[in-house]
Amino acid sequence: MSQIAINTSQNVNINFNIASVGERMLAFIIDLLIKVLYAVVAFYVFFNFFDLGYLLNGLDQWSQMAIYIAITFPIYIYPVVLESLMEGQTPGKKLMKIRVVKIDGYQASFGDYLIRWVFRLIDTSFAGVVGLISMIVSKNNQRLGDIASGTAVISLKNTINISHTILENIHEDYIPSFPQVIALSDNDMRIIKDNYTKALRVDDRQIINKLSDKIKGILKLEVDATKMTERQFIHIVIKDYNYYTGKDS
């Protein structure tokens, strides 16, 4: 399985496994089935329960088309809305354990998902051949939408031990210090822990200080340096996140 080195905001490279073309196609098929199911249920409800067919007979062609578009509108916005709400995943991607991430290490924004969605019109043309060819020939299995938005789809099926994940051992009597950590995402915390672990390994105090300042800035925290070192602060943030999200081992 090929990998991609994502350079984080702390200028540290982290390797992720690239989602294969097969995984992405299966995720696409799962999402397609969900959209087809929605369409079947929606048309059944509108035409059988609300007798929409009778109402449409008295409307002109443009009005009928507008109603059909309104009914199927959730299908069109399905990818961009769910990827935004589910941090780079759709139900299909979640089942296949893959996710959209920014190559520059930052959390993908709504604008990034929107660009991918717009380019989907090109990627899915000719029965999806354009997007398929793009994924096959590109270095990181990227379709045109990924290239344009600076994103890639990674696999979350990494076979790694607990020290390389966001998991931390937490005692039952653990008392958290920073409830603000719930504003962070799993991807944010994974980047924080990876950077922190690497910095500890080589005793890179500069990275630790920058990482600490970054976390404080994002969470708008003021920490008394006389009561807590930068290392202690980051370690507590990681534990607090696991405490509040229930990701204890």
Side-chain angles (χ1 to χ4, degrees):
M1 182 176 290
S2 59
Q3 292 188 326
I4 180 174
I6 296 180
N7 190 276
T8 70
S9 56
Q10 286 75 37
N11 200 32
V12 176
N13 285 334
I14 301 176
N15 292 323
F16 292 95
N17 289 329
I18 294 291
S20 68
V21 175
E23 288 174 322
R24 295 185 64 170
M25 290 184 66
L26 286 174
F28 175 81
I29 292 173
I30 293 171
D31 288 327
L32 179 62
L33 291 175
I34 292 174
K35 289 184 280 190
V36 169
L37 178 62
Y38 163 80
V40 170
V41 172
F43 279 108
Y44 178 81
V45 170
F46 279 99
F47 280 93
N48 289 275
F49 285 3
F50 300 115
D51 199 13
L52 186 62
Y54 174 78
L55 296 175
L56 288 176
N57 290 332
L59 300 176
D60 59 70
Q61 182 179 1
W62 291 105
S63 297
Q64 292 180 4
M65 186 179 299
I67 291 176
Y68 280 117
I69 292 176
I71 294 175
T72 57
F73 186 67
I75 295 176
Y76 308 138
I77 63 173
Y78 175 97
V80 65
V81 170
L82 290 183
E83 285 180 354
S84 300
L85 295 176
M86 298 174 65
E87 296 182 358
Q89 291 184 303
T90 59
K93 289 186 177 69
K94 192 173 184 66
L95 286 174
M96 293 306 301
K97 296 183 179 180
I98 61 177
R99 169 176 289 162
V100 178
V101 297
K102 287 285 286 182
I103 294 178
D104 61 11
Y106 288 92
Q107 179 74 30
S109 65
F110 175 77
D112 298 315
Y113 300 130
L114 183 62
I115 292 173
R116 296 182 79 255
W117 178 71
V118 171
F119 272 83
R120 187 179 293 269
L121 298 175
I122 303 175
D123 285 317
T124 56
S125 58
F126 301 102
V129 173
V130 174
L132 180 60
I133 292 176
S134 176
M135 285 190 286
I136 292 175
V137 301
S138 63
K139 179 181 177 181
N140 298 315
N141 291 356
Q142 294 170 289
R143 63 179 179 84
L144 297 180
D146 292 317
I147 296 173
S149 60
T151 60
V153 181
I154 62 170
S155 173
L156 303 178
K157 301 174 185 177
N158 299 334
T159 54
I160 52 182
N161 59 47
I162 192 171
S163 65
H164 296 121
T165 70
I166 60 175
L167 302 179
E168 286 286 336
N169 288 310
I170 300 176
H171 296 293
E172 293 183 2
D173 58 351
Y174 179 78
I175 300 176
S177 303
F178 305 110
Q180 296 91 333
V181 297
I182 60 174
L184 299 172
S185 67
D186 281 359
N187 191 46
D188 294 330
M189 187 51 59
R190 189 173 291 107
I191 291 173
I192 289 172
K193 183 170 183 182
D194 284 340
N195 289 339
Y196 178 60
T197 302
K198 289 183 178 181
L200 285 179
R201 191 178 302 132
V202 297
D203 194 25
D204 192 331
R205 299 179 184 181
Q206 184 177 6
I207 290 295
I208 291 176
N209 290 338
K210 287 183 177 180
L211 184 58
S212 175
D213 291 340
K214 186 74 173 181
I215 296 172
K216 293 173 184 176
I218 293 175
L219 301 181
K220 297 179 174 57
L221 293 174
E222 292 185 4
V223 180
D224 190 345
T226 62
K227 296 182 179 179
M228 186 183 301
T229 66
E230 306 291 358
R231 297 188 185 197
Q232 290 172 332
F233 167 70
I234 298 174
H235 188 64
I236 290 175
V237 165
I238 295 173
K239 280 186 170 291
D240 283 1
Y241 183 83
N242 284 273
Y243 174 87
Y244 284 112
T245 58
K247 293 179 172 59
D248 54 322
S249 56

